[in-house]
Amino acid sequence: MWFLGLGLLALALKYFEIGMVATWSWWIVLSPFAMAIAWWAWADSSGYTKRKIVERENRRKQERIDRQKNNMGIKTTNGQRPRR
């Protein structure tokens, strides 16, 4: 995502001829888009994206369980008694 944002910023600066980016070659300006494509291809093929989604879902599930236990007055997984 960072590469995409950087590419859009560079593209806008080149198009509107702002600053030193106006003198850069188009290859340099468009290279963050190529890096974004390479990153996404690697992330999808290596399972990085799926692993991050599963981690986020597990974290949300555990937070929901802890919140429900706190509401019932049961000790949470971190071993602390909830305050009232």
Side-chain angles (χ1 to χ4, degrees):
M1 195 65 174
W2 291 99
F3 289 130
L4 186 61
L6 181 64
L8 290 173
L9 177 66
L11 186 65
L13 291 174
K14 176 72 173 177
Y15 182 76
F16 292 113
E17 298 179 355
I18 298 173
M20 65 182 206
V21 179
T23 61
W24 290 357
S25 166
W26 276 104
W27 290 106
I28 296 171
V29 173
L30 297 177
S31 64
F33 293 112
M35 289 186 284
I37 291 170
W39 166 257
W40 284 328
W42 173 82
D44 287 342
S45 66
S46 69
Y48 178 81
T49 305
K50 183 67 174 174
R51 186 171 51 250
K52 288 297 181 181
I53 291 171
V54 169
E55 287 175 2
R56 184 174 53 229
E57 288 174 355
N58 288 341
R59 185 174 50 249
R60 290 179 66 192
K61 179 181 176 183
Q62 189 60 47
E63 289 171 357
R64 186 173 55 249
I65 290 169
D66 290 344
R67 188 173 52 249
Q68 290 175 354
K69 285 183 178 182
N70 282 338
N71 290 340
M72 291 189 301
I74 300 173
K75 288 186 180 181
T76 59
T77 56
N78 60 11
Q80 296 178 352
R81 182 101 177 140
R83 292 182 146 182
R84 290 190 175 191

